[in-house]
Amino acid sequence: MPTERLSMRHIREVLRLHYSVGMSQRAVARSLGLAQGTVSKYVNRTRRAGLTWPLPAELDDDVRLEKRLYPPPSDLPSNERPHPDWSLVHRELRRPNVTLMLLWEEYCDTTSDAFSYSWFCERYKEWAGRLKPTLRQVHVAGEKLFVDYSGHTMEVIDALTGEVIATQIFVAVLGASNYTYAEATFTQRLPDWISSHVRAFSFFGGAARQTVSDNLKAGVTRACFHEPMVNRTYADLARHYGTAILPARPHRPKDKTSVSYCTSFGLLRGDTIQPCWMRAAPTVALDDLQAWRDVPKPTSKAV
């Protein structure tokens, strides 16, 4: 059942005590025997109506004041009225002390054809219910290095024979900073896999405590959800550099989300038929990636 409105006389008294006397909303509520939320609601409604204290002389009439504070509903159809940006609402709610009431009031400030608070809450609940729940991963600096090959290849041309050769893109990403190293190799076989790790460790100036890799045949002999078997040469590399190999679980791409984002850097610009990084130097594509993710820019290493 909707809450009964205060009389215009009560609303004037709320505004007088708050603005003229300088009492806090809590003190005004105590003085008039009202809930603090009720006082806050009328103070905010007055602000949205563009009114200040003292009220203009033409609003001494209660009917005019009520029309100003409670304008008639918009005649526009619902599909033509401005809708909130639900993704922005969802992000703002993560901030401390931000509530749906506060966001609804900000939405009302942007348009005179705003929907009611109950509509705002119901539609946000419907929108949020369609989101897929995810768990944010927080990485400690120096804890994990994510390594993988990009799903896309890059073509190079032999200067002597003119032969077009497809190369593989190796990507290594530090979990905490997303600092990225990328290089091209001719294959994904064990020698190239190991050599790429050595150059990546040299570029970063050391190895992370854990190296999270995909279940590549060159690195993982047997992919298993519970007990994966790491290639002996790959294990020797980890022992030499003092890191631990942590294969991602099969069919669990979120185990290596950082490198999964970065292995798609070739598609940040260009078209779907021929990504631009197949037409330009890989250094350019890597620079685009670093600018897009707003992290320090490494220099691309050639094979």
Side-chain angles (χ1 to χ4, degrees):
M1 181 177 178
T3 306
E4 185 178 353
R5 294 179 186 174
L6 288 181
S7 66
M8 295 301 107
R9 180 178 63 83
H10 272 87
I11 293 176
R12 284 193 178 89
E13 187 63 10
V14 167
L15 299 179
R16 186 186 70 83
L17 293 177
H18 182 63
Y19 289 110
S20 182
V21 180
M23 297 172 63
S24 66
Q25 293 184 13
R26 187 186 300 273
V28 173
R30 245 189 341 259
S31 174
L32 299 179
L34 301 172
Q36 183 180 347
T38 302
V39 174
S40 176
K41 179 176 69 173
Y42 286 108
V43 170
N44 291 331
R45 181 175 288 274
T46 304
R47 177 180 54 80
R48 290 198 303 272
L51 300 176
T52 58
W53 186 264
L55 296 174
E58 63 269 16
L59 295 182
D60 289 343
D61 181 66
D62 288 351
V63 176
R64 290 183 178 180
L65 177 59
E66 186 171 12
K67 286 183 178 179
R68 187 70 178 270
L69 293 178
Y70 296 93
S74 174
D75 295 331
L76 287 175
S78 60
N79 58 346
E80 296 181 10
R81 295 164 70 178
H83 286 231
D85 183 349
W86 297 121
S87 59
L88 177 61
V89 170
H90 190 66
R91 288 196 304 270
E92 289 296 308
L93 281 175
R94 298 176 183 175
R95 299 171 59 185
N97 303 320
V98 177
T99 64
L100 280 174
M101 173 64 77
L102 177 62
L103 295 174
W104 173 74
E105 291 174 352
E106 293 179 353
Y107 158 67
C108 291
D109 289 340
T110 62
T111 176
S112 59
D113 298 315
F115 290 93
S116 66
Y117 176 64
S118 59
W119 178 95
F120 186 89
C121 294
E122 290 171 3
R123 294 302 177 274
Y124 170 72
K125 185 177 180 180
E126 291 176 1
W127 181 89
R130 294 193 291 269
L131 295 178
K132 185 177 180 181
T134 56
L135 177 64
R136 181 179 180 87
Q137 296 187 31
V138 179
H139 301 297
V140 178
E143 181 184 39
K144 290 182 179 180
L145 174 70
F146 297 85
V147 294
D148 198 2
Y149 280 105
S150 171
H152 307 279
T153 59
M154 176 179 173
E155 293 181 348
V156 296
I157 301 176
D158 190 311
L160 298 177
T161 64
E163 179 185 2
V164 178
I165 305 173
T167 59
Q168 311 297 318
I169 308 299
F170 172 87
V171 181
V173 184
L174 288 173
S177 64
N178 287 328
Y179 197 40
T180 304
Y181 170 85
E183 69 172 24
T185 59
F186 287 113
T187 72
Q188 294 186 13
R189 290 196 290 268
L190 183 61
D192 285 327
W193 176 250
I194 298 298
S195 298
S196 294
H197 278 70
V198 172
R199 287 187 287 268
F201 293 154
S202 175
F203 174 79
F204 290 126
R209 283 191 289 271
Q210 297 176 353
T211 300
V212 182
S213 72
D214 199 5
N215 288 284
L216 188 74
K217 287 292 184 182
V220 180
T221 305
R222 179 170 64 90
C224 177
F225 190 89
H226 299 288
E227 296 181 358
M229 184 177 296
V230 178
N231 180 284
R232 181 178 297 180
T233 304
Y234 198 23
D236 289 341
L237 172 80
R239 192 178 303 109
H240 176 77
Y241 281 96
T243 184
I245 304 300
L246 188 64
R249 295 173 296 172
H251 312 296
R252 293 295 188 274
K254 289 186 178 181
D255 284 2
K256 51 185 181 66
T257 50
S258 294
V259 74
S260 294
Y261 279 119
C262 291
T263 53
S264 63
F265 68 86
L267 300 179
L268 288 178
R269 53 190 180 88
D271 51 64
T272 56
I273 299 175
Q274 186 182 19
C276 71
W277 63 281
M278 300 176 71
R279 303 193 296 268
T283 308
V284 177
L286 186 59
D287 286 343
D288 285 351
L289 167 69
Q290 299 296 70
W292 178 65
R293 294 187 66 85
D294 194 24
V295 297
K297 296 184 178 182
T299 305
S300 181
K301 299 279 185 87
V303 178

